[in-house]
Structure formats: C-alpha cells, structure tokens
Amino acid sequence: MAFKIIKTDCKLLKTILVSHGFHETHPNSSDFNLMWTGSHLKPYVLRSLSEFQKVNHFPRSYELTRKDRLYKNVQRLQQLKGVKHFDFVPPTFIFPAEFQEFCTYYLKDKGPFIVKPIASSRGRGIFIATHPDQIPLDDQLVVCKYVANPLVVDGFKFDLRIYVAVTSYDPLVIYMYEEGLARFATVKYQAALRYSRNQCMHLTNYSVNKKNQEYVQNDDADVEDYGNKWSLGALLRYLKSEGHDTSALMMRLEDVIVKAILSVEMPIASACKMFQPHKGNCFELYGFDIIIDDTLRPWLLEVNLSPSLACDSPLDFKIKCHMLSDLLSLVGFVCHDPMLRQLHTTSGRATAAGSGSGSRDSPVSAA
C-alpha cells in the first residue's frame, strides 16, 4: 500500500498513513493507492487512474470552493426552487460585473458589506466596506452583506469549521464529521461602524487572530472550552447551558451543508462522468466555514477545498487526527500492490487477475 502527497505539506496525514502500514512513494510515481494533493488535478491525471487508486479531489470541486462559483450556484437554485429554500448565504455580488446591481441594492440597504477576493484564504485581502466608493473595480471580488448580528460568547464573535466528506456525487453521498472547531476573534465585538477596520474584531480566521497579543492558546486537549479555539462539542454544551436549542441548531447546520452541496451536484457529477475513469476514484474533504447569528440562524461564509490539517495546539491534533482516521476508514482502500499496475494494464487477462478465492484485492480500511 503506497501513498504520495503533492503540492501540500501534511505531516499529520503522513503520520497516520505510515502508522497503518502505508509507505510513501515519490511525487512523480504512478505507483500509489492514495494521492493526496493540495490543488485541483489535471484531467489527464484523473483519466490515468486505475480502479484501486484514490485521490482526494473531485473534478470541478471549485464549483463549491471558489467564492464566486459557490454563490452563483446557490443563486441558481434560489431561482429554480425559491429563495426561501436556499436562503443560507447573505445577499452577494460579484465585482466588477455586478457593480450596478450592487449600487441598486445599496440604495435599499446601506450594509455594511464584507469584501473578499474570489480565491483567497486565511483572511487575506478581506475588508469591510460601508459605501460603493470603497470597493475597487479592477479586481475580481465577492461583496456580500455583512452579518452584523452575530451570536457572541462572552462578547466575542466566532465561526465554525465543520468537516464534511463526499465520497460520491452520483449518487450523492455526504458525511458530516461529528466534531469540529469554533474559532473566536480576539477583540470583543462591537457593531458600530467606527470599528469596521479592526480585523481582529470582525474576522475569526486563526491566521489573522494568532498574530494578536490577546490570542489565547489552548495547551490542553482535554479542556475544549478554553482560549480562542474551542471544539464544536464544547460550544454546543455551552449554548445548551445558556438555554439554546442545540438540536435544532445542528439540524439547521446539516441543512445548510446538504443544500450547498446540492447546488453543485450537477456540474461536479457531469465532470466525474467525463474525467473519472472509475466510480470510486475520487473523494473530498471540505472545510465549511459557517457563522451563526443571534437568532441561531447559520450563514455559510465559504467552503475550503483543502482545509488546513496543521496542528498548532493539542486540541487541533485531537480533532483532526480522529477526523482523518475516520475519513480514511470511510473511504476504504483495496489491498493492492501498486507495483502490479503494469501487469493489469498490459494483458487482456488483467481483469481476471484479482478474481477467485486467492485474490489479493480484498477491501480493507486504512484506519
């Protein structure tokens, strides 16, 4: 059993795979059971996969993970099925193409608005605008109404990172991991516009807030409700103690996740038929970033193609290690020596090579 990791540095994944009997192969090698990559795959790479090989991205996953494509796909279903059934994203405009539509909306609702580059991550290039003149027209941007009434804990704004696995788009099969992360800002939230430039108040990204001297690191994995990063479970226990209906909240979160993926089911399933040679070749781990307002209504902020697997705290390690192990078990791997690949492709008898009671191609879990 072999794996290769390309265009990303994932020590945790490597440790888990090696501890379960996998060995790492060269990034240029075609002899692997699992290829884990931090970017989209070229069509010719997908088409070259053998039946036993798996990769961690579907073709055209950017339909969900690029901010402009996500909003366009959700808006398409709003038009088809009604806005009330797909109202989990704030009013959104793609700049510069929809500048006039934005100006019309601005006459009715003065915002504020949050401005994001269409394909950035870790809070880079994000700012809050209160007037159309503050938004440049020479960049590809997503401009959406800012959720100005966030639910706060002890006065601090937070968002959720929820891990979601998709193992098939045809038929659609979605799994939501039972644990996740709540990530807190480091400055207490105030809605007044004079504070709109304070990133550590309005942005909950770890990469932004860890630079603030007020950031509190959690150094004990068994204490899940301390510092600026909690577990999802700890947050739910806190909210329940405050009298909130956490069961209803979880149902709303699941509804957002399922509907977001439904909005991209058609284009990704079509791409799979075109580029994926075998049904089980691709799977995906998405990182959903969701904010909850003070009515306990979830709003989808974005979906991450390759959610960070870095472990900067014991709590990170505990949650991400268990999540990755469950993901690999869920995906499952065929116990197949990738070096035998040539034997299976150079002979017409290859399809029978793994049949019979003595087959080496028995399904096993990786973790």
Side-chain angles (χ1 to χ4, degrees), residues 45-62:
V45 176
L46 283 168
R47 288 192 175 114
S48 69
L49 294 173
S50 294
E51 189 171 6
F52 67 89
Q53 293 180 312
K54 294 185 182 291
V55 297
N56 67 316
H57 293 308
F58 285 96
R60 289 187 71 176
S61 261
Y62 59 80

Side-chain angles (χ1 to χ4, degrees), residues 40-274:
H40 294 286
L41 292 166
K42 301 293 185 183
Y44 74 88
V45 176
L46 283 168
R47 288 192 175 114
S48 69
L49 294 173
S50 294
E51 189 171 6
F52 67 89
Q53 293 180 312
K54 294 185 182 291
V55 297
N56 67 316
H57 293 308
F58 285 96
R60 289 187 71 176
S61 261
Y62 59 80
E63 293 285 352
L64 183 64
T65 59
R66 258 182 58 138
K67 297 177 183 68
D68 56 341
R69 295 305 307 147
L70 168 64
Y71 292 122
K72 281 300 180 185
N73 283 310
V74 171
Q75 287 169 359
R76 177 176 51 82
L77 278 194
Q78 287 177 342
Q79 293 168 0
L80 287 173
K81 304 295 183 181
V83 173
K84 67 178 182 179
H85 299 299
F86 288 84
D87 59 347
F88 53 85
V89 294
T92 302
F93 305 87
I94 311 301
F95 271 50
E98 296 179 349
F99 175 72
Q100 291 301 327
E101 291 92 329
F102 172 75
C103 290
T104 302
Y105 181 86
Y106 179 78
L107 294 175
K108 297 181 294 183
D109 190 329
K110 303 299 183 184
F113 302 90
I114 190 158
V115 183
K116 310 175 186 179
I118 62 172
S120 69
S121 61
R122 294 179 286 179
R124 290 172 296 194
I126 297 178
F127 65 94
I128 293 174
T130 56
H131 192 277
D133 291 345
Q134 298 171 345
I135 306 172
L137 294 177
D138 53 354
D139 293 321
Q140 289 280 309
L141 299 169
V142 166
V143 180
C144 54
K145 186 178 177 182
Y146 181 70
V147 179
N149 62 323
L151 182 67
V152 297
V153 172
D154 294 332
F156 293 94
K157 180 181 174 181
F158 66 91
D159 76 350
L160 302 179
R161 163 59 58 85
I162 297 178
Y163 298 102
V164 176
V166 176
T167 55
S168 170
Y169 270 94
D170 183 19
L172 184 58
V173 182
I174 307 169
Y175 298 89
M176 174 180 166
Y177 188 58
E178 62 185 358
E179 191 55 281
L181 292 166
R183 305 171 302 183
F184 289 83
T186 47
V187 176
K188 286 194 173 184
Y189 180 73
Q190 298 187 60
L193 292 180
R194 66 177 179 272
Y195 300 109
S196 63
R197 294 186 181 276
N198 191 331
Q199 284 200 322
C200 291
M201 177 188 293
H202 296 284
L203 301 185
T204 51
N205 307 69
Y206 167 71
S207 54
V208 171
N209 284 282
K210 70 178 181 180
K211 300 172 185 174
N212 190 338
Q213 62 182 6
E214 299 298 320
Y215 185 84
V216 178
Q217 180 76 289
N218 183 340
D219 294 321
D220 187 346
D222 293 326
V223 182
E224 299 183 2
D225 58 353
Y226 175 79
N228 285 85
K229 192 180 285 187
W230 292 13
S231 71
L232 173 61
L235 177 73
L236 293 173
R237 290 189 291 273
Y238 169 82
L239 293 178
K240 190 171 185 178
S241 73
E242 294 289 304
H244 295 293
D245 186 346
T246 53
S247 295
L249 173 60
M250 288 305 297
M251 290 178 65
R252 294 187 195 113
L253 289 171
E254 291 173 8
D255 190 61
V256 167
I257 289 165
V258 169
K259 287 180 177 177
I261 295 175
L262 279 174
S263 75
V264 302
E265 177 188 15
M266 184 174 65
I268 297 181
S270 298
C272 288
K273 289 178 181 177
M274 190 177 301

Side-chain angles (χ1 to χ4, degrees), residues 265-304:
E265 177 188 15
M266 184 174 65
I268 297 181
S270 298
C272 288
K273 289 178 181 177
M274 190 177 301
F275 301 118
Q276 185 179 236
H278 308 283
K279 273 214 166 188
N281 285 140
C282 299
F283 67 96
E284 192 93 42
L285 172 67
Y286 296 112
F288 275 69
D289 291 347
I290 295 175
I291 192 169
I292 303 167
D293 69 20
D294 57 13
T295 69
L296 252 62
R297 179 178 178 179
W299 296 92
L300 179 60
L301 302 178
E302 62 186 56
V303 183
N304 293 269

